[in-house]
Amino acid sequence: MCGIVGYIGNKSGTGMVLDGLEALEYRGYDSAGIALIDGAKGQVFKQVGRVSGLVKEVSKKKPEARLVMGHTRWATHGGVTVQNAHPQANNRQSIFVVHNGIIENFAEIRAKLKTEGYHFDSQTDTEVIPNLIDFYLKQLPTFEDAFKAALNDVRGAYSIVAVSTKEPETLYAARLSSPLVIGIGKDENFLASDPSAIMEHTKKVIYLEDYDVAVITKSKVSVHNLKQDKQTEPKVELLDYENEQALLGDYPNFMLKEIFEAPATIKTATLGRAQADKNLVKLGGLESVLRQLKFIDRIVIVACGTSYYAGLVGEYLIEELAGIPVEVHLASEFKYRDEPFSRSTVLLAISQSGETADTIAALKKVEDYGVLRLGIVNAVGSTIARMTDAGVYCHAGPEKAVASTKAFIAQVTVLSEIALHLGAESKNNPKLFKALLKELNELPAKAQAVLDTADQIKKVAEKYKDYRDFLFIGRHNAFPSALEGALKLKEISYIHAEGYAAGEMKHGPLAMIDASFPTFAIATDSPLLEKTYSNIQEIRARGGPVVAIATEGNKSIKDLVDDVIYIPKALDELQPVLHATATQLFAYYIAMARGYDVDRPRNLAKSVTVE
Ligand code: M6R
């Protein structure tokens, strides 16, 4: 959440920083701003709304400077106003700061600074930082000392960039639990929340670690670790992926494009891994921990949102195939539990962005437990990818729309490969092993078949667009699909939607059902289908409209429900991939019919880097 970009070099950095902010807009899009330091003068431009508005505003004035930094905001403290947009400045307008994260003790610092004569113009937590640096600058010899002293006072999570009009050649940066990467150029250096903002300019990067403080000029980067209290030798890494700038092509938005990437996503995630002809699964990312994996007797999955629901699908897969008990926890809850944890437990974190603060916190919590920490991550080089002992990349390519679509498809695919990998060792369920491998190879064509019915799904969606509430139900493997379907609908269409285990309806939710409360039932072929039918009957008996996903060829369901969306016949365990493709399209078309911006739904951001 919140994106940061910085430039110092011989050229004017305005264009680069604005382009970078556009690339990072998925992190937050409430407001945006830039600060330029030219000579001893600082200029700030801030706008509420999209980065494009800021670009328009800035281009009228065409300001130039060799030191520029910018920010795109997702509001935490203080409403969406120009005053609260970043950069924030000290009272003397000589220090400017952009910040991603939360300063938990800002109220305390603000009160202390007020007694020193400082005043505050915004409601942000960030505004205390430039003023605190200013305060220390009156007592300490250098800006760097004052910056470090301020960092020692703040509690919370942050990536911060600070600049001073007195030092027009230097960017000061710091990181704690929030990502920041430095790009190394020739006579120029860059800073960003993630490499996508700078990789057009350089492939050489330094990922800052927690407690790192970096001093960056156009020709030098020095890093000091506050916790270790010593200068560190920053490791320069080469970005090992091509400019993955996602382009819309002929699609009207990224969400639809990404939904339609499902078949390619499955193919890429299985390429060279799921080898049905040889009846084997090869996961290069786990090779370094093969020995440890032999001794595990419990897997704890931690994740948030859609990744959590993918984890629930993985729970069934791993338990059935490998016979290893699995628990799935919401990362935001897991970190506060005090559960027993043995060394033979594996912690498996699932994250598209690899930057979700809650998931990172869950991984950090077990840091000293001596347990194996694995990751299923999409964003290459992200914090979670780097902090886990081993893992399997999703390789789904950049996911730009806030609603996660192809990442879920890739995560379930990878989870089934991990289940196969662990199952190969235990030979717990050889019949399912073979069937699953075969299905993984057939799945891209089946996902494509679902996409080919997009027009029919659109028609059904448009019929239901005006309802206020929706229930999604499913049993066993289809239960996570119901949860995910409901999440997708609520986040982009703002319709209240709940996912429920179909068998739980009679324990409460049935009370809500009437003609104004439709249900989306996931009723595809499975040994439990008849039981789901009974639950649908109970809903119909109370006058509730029902849309169902059913398996191709199931004609009888038409007599039971109002509308049917068909998906191809598939192995029960992998049907969630096809359910997801159908529910993604359903949510998408409802949101479009209601006239919403599906790529940037209100109140959300793609990468949730605050707790
Ligand atoms: O990047 P992550 O997979 O860790 O993100 C987790 C959730 O924030 C994310 O899945 C969120 O729920 C999506 N907006 C859902 O579509």
Side-chain angles (χ1 to χ4, degrees):
M1 276 166 173
C2 300
I4 290 176
V5 188
Y7 174 85
I8 174 73
N10 288 331
K11 302 182 250 180
S12 173
T14 318
M16 181 272 145
V17 168
L18 290 172
D19 288 349
L21 288 182
E22 277 182 330
L24 293 186
E25 206 173 18
Y26 70 91
R27 301 178 74 92
Y29 35 81
D30 296 341
S31 50
I34 57 169
L36 301 91
I37 308 292
D38 186 23
K41 220 175 75 227
Q43 274 191 88
V44 172
F45 296 84
K46 300 203 269 193
Q47 283 260 320
V48 162
R50 301 286 152 79
V51 175
S52 55
L54 179 72
V55 173
K56 237 185 240 158
E57 179 62 24
V58 172
S59 62
K60 282 187 210 149
K61 308 242 167 74
K62 297 195 175 47
E64 295 202 343
R66 292 182 304 135
L67 187 154
V68 185
M69 68 174 183
H71 185 269
T72 174
R73 179 172 187 243
W74 184 85
T76 58
H77 293 61
V80 180
T81 61
V82 170
Q83 205 87 52
N84 290 336
H86 298 204
Q88 290 288 321
N90 62 334
N91 292 168
R92 292 190 283 171
Q93 300 288 310
S94 56
I95 299 169
F96 301 93
V97 163
V98 290
H99 163 224
N100 173 23
I102 291 175
I103 304 301
E104 284 164 4
N105 58 339
F106 84 100
E108 198 183 295
I109 297 173
R110 183 192 277 229
K112 180 181 129 188
L113 288 171
K114 274 186 176 169
T115 64
E116 298 290 334
Y118 288 87
H119 63 86
F120 293 88
D121 302 320
S122 78
Q123 289 91 49
T124 64
D125 50 341
T126 306
E127 196 182 1
V128 298
I129 306 168
N131 286 302
L132 195 56
I133 300 172
D134 182 278
F135 169 74
Y136 281 118
L137 206 47
K138 290 176 187 157
Q139 308 156 36
L140 295 166
T142 67
F143 189 89
E144 186 178 346
D145 293 331
F147 185 46
K148 287 178 184 163
L151 292 172
N152 277 326
D153 281 0
V154 299
R155 251 194 344 263
Y158 55 74
S159 43
I160 297 171
V161 182
V163 295
S164 157
T165 50
K166 306 247 163 55
E167 298 193 33
E169 303 285 338
T170 314
L171 287 158
Y172 291 87
R175 172 207 153 118
L176 179 62
S177 301
S178 180
L180 206 50
V181 59
I182 300 170
I184 312 292
K186 187 164 165 21
D187 293 329
E188 58 184 0
N189 286 316
F190 310 86
L191 255 175
S193 299
D194 91 46
S196 64
I198 54 176
M199 63 190 179
E200 194 185 311
H201 307 280
T202 181
K203 291 271 191 294
K204 282 205 247 168
V205 295
I206 295 169
Y207 291 100
L208 289 182
E209 302 294 340
D210 278 353
Y211 299 101
D212 276 354
V213 177
V215 181
I216 305 158
T217 64
K218 65 177 184 189
S219 52
K220 195 170 168 220
V221 174
S222 60
V223 179
H224 178 98
N225 190 279
L226 274 184
K227 198 173 180 188
Q228 297 162 12
D229 194 19
K230 66 170 196 204
Q231 207 69 16
T232 60
E233 197 50 55
K235 191 169 144 222
V236 179
E237 297 180 36
L238 218 52
L239 292 175
D240 66 350
Y241 49 103
E242 288 306 304
N243 283 3
E244 284 192 280
Q245 206 60 27
L247 299 172
L248 265 184
D250 291 336
Y251 287 95
N253 47 55
F254 281 105
M255 184 173 176
L256 191 65
K257 176 179 185 268
E258 288 158 8
I259 294 173
F260 270 81
E261 281 171 10
T265 300
I266 305 164
K267 275 189 205 152
T268 316
T270 48
L271 195 73
R273 291 173 174 168
Q275 304 183 17
D277 50 340
K278 296 188 185 134
N279 204 32
L280 72 89
V281 165
K282 235 175 130 49
L283 295 174
L286 297 184
E287 235 137 66
S288 61
V289 295
L290 285 184
R291 231 182 73 78
Q292 280 154 286
L293 285 177
K294 285 189 201 305
F295 302 105
I296 62 170
D297 58 12
R298 177 178 169 228
I299 297 176
V300 172
I301 295 178
V302 287
C304 301
T306 289
S307 300
Y308 169 76
Y309 297 140
L312 293 178
V313 179
E315 177 180 18
Y316 294 142
L317 277 162
I318 297 172
E319 289 189 343
E320 262 190 83
L321 265 156
I324 300 171
V326 180
E327 290 157 41
V328 193
H329 293 271
L330 288 166
S332 54
E333 288 295 317
F334 173 79
K335 62 187 176 190
Y336 300 113
R337 286 173 67 112
D338 198 6
E339 75 295 320
F341 228 85
S342 80
R343 287 209 176 178
S344 44
T345 301
V346 162
L347 189 85
L348 171 59
I350 307 177
S351 175
Q352 187 287 127
S353 61
E355 300 296 352
T356 300
D358 289 320
T359 313
I360 292 172
L363 280 160
K364 278 192 179 158
K365 175 184 158 175
V366 301
E367 211 158 34
D368 302 324
Y369 291 12
V371 301
L372 186 62
R373 297 185 302 170
L374 301 179
I376 297 179
V377 175
N378 189 37
V380 178
S382 56
T383 303
I384 295 176
R386 287 180 301 111
M387 73 190 288
T388 40
D389 302 305
V392 185
Y393 273 122
C394 291
H395 289 316
E399 189 182 66
K400 291 252 172 180
V402 164
S404 192
T405 54
K406 63 175 175 172
F408 177 85
I409 306 289
Q411 289 162 345
V412 172
T413 307
V414 169
L415 278 159
S416 63
E417 290 170 334
I418 291 181
L420 285 164
H421 183 94
L422 297 171
E425 187 64 34
S426 64
K427 297 198 174 46
N428 192 58
N429 196 339
K431 206 166 139 216
L432 180 60
F433 184 94
K434 220 172 165 167
L436 199 69
L437 252 181
K438 184 166 168 279
E439 190 65 275
L440 273 178
N441 282 271
E442 290 169 7
L443 212 51
K446 293 183 182 177
Q448 186 57 52
V450 179
L451 294 169
D452 291 344
T453 66
D455 285 345
Q456 281 132 271
I457 298 178
K458 183 176 179 204
K459 268 193 206 132
V460 179
E462 284 170 355
K463 194 170 150 191
Y464 289 87
K465 74 175 176 42
D466 293 323
Y467 283 95
R468 209 191 56 178
D469 309 283
F470 241 105
L471 239 142
F472 281 69
I473 58 166
R475 278 176 181 267
H476 191 221
N477 293 309
F479 172 43
S481 308
L483 296 169
E484 169 59 9
L487 175 62
K488 218 78 313 164
L489 185 64
K490 67 185 133 191
E491 74 176 323
I492 58 167
S493 74
Y494 321 141
I495 292 174
H496 160 239
E498 278 186 60
Y500 242 87
E504 277 291 298
M505 288 295 290
K506 55 191 175 295
H507 299 291
L510 207 49
M512 298 188 293
I513 296 297
D514 62 19
S516 68
F517 203 130
T519 297
F520 193 111
I522 303 184
T524 41
D525 286 0
S526 96
L528 300 179
L529 183 56
E530 283 184 358
K531 292 191 190 297
T532 306
Y533 276 0
S534 306
N535 302 128
I536 295 175
Q537 294 279 18
E538 287 153 11
I539 292 163
R540 293 307 307 266
R542 275 127 192 116
V546 180
V547 188
I549 300 188
T551 304
E552 248 163 30
N554 180 350
K555 295 208 178 85
S556 60
I557 196 163
K558 284 191 172 166
D559 302 330
L560 190 61
V561 303
D562 299 279
D563 293 280
V564 188
I565 292 168
Y566 284 109
I567 64 166
K569 198 170 180 50
L571 192 72
D572 205 8
E573 285 76 3
L574 282 177
Q575 284 180 17
V577 167
L578 306 180
H579 300 152
T581 304
T583 52
Q584 287 165 9
L585 285 170
F586 182 74
Y588 171 81
Y589 286 121
I590 286 193
M592 290 300 283
R594 288 165 75 103
Y596 297 137
D597 179 346
V598 290
D599 282 351
R600 295 188 180 107
R602 68 185 185 203
N603 304 340
L604 300 180
K606 182 70 182 159
S607 180
V608 187
T609 57
V610 294
E611 290 186 38

